[in-house]
Amino acid sequence: MHQVGPLEGFTVGVTAARRADELGALLERRGAAVVHAPALRIVPLADDGELLGATKALLGHAPDTVVATTAIGFRGWVEAAEGWGLGEELRGVLDGVELLARGPKVRGAVRAAGLTEAWSPPSESLAEVLDRLLAEGVAGRRIAVQLHGEPLPGFVEALREAGAEVVGVPVYRWLPPEDVAPLDRLIDAVRARSVDAVTFTSAPAAASLLERAERLGVREGLLEALRGDVLAACVGPVTALPLVAHDVPVVRPERFRIGPLVQLLCRELPARAPALPVAGRRLEIRGRAVVVDGELRPVPPAGMALLRALARRPGWVVPRAELLRALPGAGRDEHAVETAVARLRSALGGPRMIQTVVKRGYRLAFDPSDAGSGPG
């Protein structure tokens, strides 16, 4: 029998602009259906006067400390300086200051530029970088911080309050996507609960999703779904901030990487799927499919709507009228329920799993005494 993948039967939305293909491939490899909807786009500033001005300011008045926050940002800064004919001069300045690198990827970018970091936190956390700087004392020091489009909550403010002169180095900007149609479709899918999870790899992506929903007039509906049926999975605590500010519960891996994020979904989504002992079989209800005794069985949307309605009260009779309301676009004809139930029984491969209760409705053939196939 085919081994059911941990994400088979689930649909996951991907809001990333950068490394979206890599994240999508990891999810699909584990069985997920992936909905790509970039919530933003990254605009490099190689030709931007703001980055050039910040670079010249640092060349003219060298800082005491430089904080490199992302590998792509640090590489982009050095490459932009090369394009302006300032690469050698910039590396010379960076070689003579205290260079702090947030995490191993940034450290790798620093060393690839022929430089050596003075220190890098084991936690990959900017909070730890901030703690080190404040413990050393920053009053009167000139500190350059490579900005990376994401909010650095309290970081710059804390340094300035402690007496430092902080110079921001804006390497790239986040802007809304040029084509918002995929993002609009994802927002609709979240509200309709036709996706099971949405992944976020940057705080601007989370903020952009909320802003777009606000512009469409559906933000409250989006938030309601994210607070309940649709799992919000963030790569780290900074990424989660815009969602947490709106009381959205989030999950995040211990290591702030795409791989651990996918592993987290492989645990979380199956754990959220109810597994029930039904007619002597084990029925696990996933987003767009069911697993019956370890075998994945696709179920049409109407059948999934009925099955969820029946599973909310397993073993109880659910009236036809209530099931009719659960059917997407069924109208008022209760015959649609009979048709959908017949198709659902066929999809499940076990007609006895759904019982007809004459003149009343339908029920799952739930058997809580069947400990061998129950969820425990």
Side-chain angles (χ1 to χ4, degrees):
M1 182 184 294
H2 165 72
Q3 181 69 34
V4 177
L7 297 180
E8 285 194 72
F10 294 111
T11 303
V12 180
V14 172
T15 62
R18 187 167 61 91
R19 301 181 68 189
D21 291 343
E22 179 184 350
L23 176 55
L26 288 172
L27 291 167
E28 288 172 347
R29 200 173 302 155
R30 287 154 181 82
V34 175
V35 177
H36 286 279
L40 44 79
R41 57 191 166 102
I42 301 171
V43 180
L45 299 187
D47 299 323
D48 192 280
E50 190 176 352
L51 176 59
L52 177 58
T55 302
K56 286 183 174 179
L58 293 175
L59 297 179
H61 182 188
D64 300 294
T65 300
V66 173
V67 180
T69 59
T70 66
I72 186 175
F74 190 82
R75 285 195 301 268
W77 185 18
V78 173
E79 289 168 3
E82 292 281 3
W84 298 322
L86 301 173
E88 187 174 344
E89 189 176 354
L90 177 61
R91 279 193 295 271
V93 167
L94 295 176
D95 194 37
V97 305
E98 179 187 44
L99 183 54
L100 306 181
R102 191 206 70 168
K105 288 191 175 181
V106 188
R107 190 166 64 236
V110 166
R111 294 180 182 181
L115 303 166
T116 304
E117 77 287 350
W119 179 78
S120 180
S123 68
E124 307 177 32
S125 166
L126 274 178
E128 195 169 342
V129 176
L130 179 61
D131 289 343
R132 176 186 172 94
L133 287 169
L134 295 179
E136 290 177 345
V138 297
R141 293 176 66 82
R142 183 172 165 85
I143 301 175
V145 179
Q146 173 229 314
L147 307 177
H148 53 94
E150 300 186 22
L152 306 180
F155 189 86
V156 171
E157 293 83 352
L159 291 175
R160 286 177 174 153
E161 288 175 5
E165 177 192 357
V166 181
V167 180
V169 181
V171 183
Y172 47 80
R173 289 197 186 108
W174 303 107
L175 293 177
E178 290 183 336
D179 180 8
V180 296
L183 188 59
D184 290 351
R185 288 194 293 269
L186 177 61
I187 290 170
D188 288 342
V190 172
R191 292 170 55 229
R193 279 72 167 173
S194 57
V195 297
D196 302 289
V198 182
T199 61
F200 300 93
T201 56
S202 71
S208 178
L209 181 79
L210 296 175
E211 288 167 7
R212 182 61 185 169
E214 173 74 16
R215 183 165 295 187
L216 294 172
V218 296
R219 190 179 70 171
E220 285 310 309
L222 177 78
L223 289 172
E224 181 183 347
L226 291 172
R227 290 171 185 148
D229 299 314
V230 180
L231 180 67
C234 299
V235 78
V238 172
T239 296
L241 286 174
L243 297 167
V244 173
H246 288 88
D247 299 319
V248 172
V250 303
V251 296
R252 57 182 176 85
E254 291 184 7
R255 294 185 65 247
F256 311 150
R257 293 285 182 271
I258 285 177
L261 178 65
V262 173
Q263 293 168 9
L264 178 67
L265 285 171
C266 289
R267 296 191 300 271
E268 291 285 337
L269 285 179
R272 290 162 64 99
L276 305 169
V278 178
R281 309 180 77 172
R282 185 179 187 275
L283 174 68
E284 180 183 336
I285 302 172
R286 296 192 171 192
R288 56 185 169 81
V290 297
V291 179
V292 180
D293 291 341
E295 180 184 355
L296 186 77
R297 290 182 166 272
V299 177
M304 289 303 301
L306 284 186
L307 189 56
R308 288 196 183 93
L310 293 167
R312 275 195 287 270
R313 292 173 291 173
W316 290 63
V317 178
V318 181
R320 284 183 174 82
E322 184 175 333
L323 293 174
L324 182 63
R325 289 194 294 271
L327 281 177
R332 299 181 179 180
D333 185 2
E334 289 190 3
H335 180 67
V337 175
E338 296 174 19
T339 302
V341 167
R343 290 174 178 168
L344 175 58
R345 283 171 169 157
S346 176
L348 294 176
R352 291 184 302 166
M353 298 176 75
I354 299 175
Q355 297 176 338
T356 302
V357 182
V358 179
K359 297 184 179 180
R360 292 181 60 195
Y362 298 90
R363 63 182 288 273
L364 278 182
F366 179 63
D367 183 7
S369 65
D370 188 357
S373 60

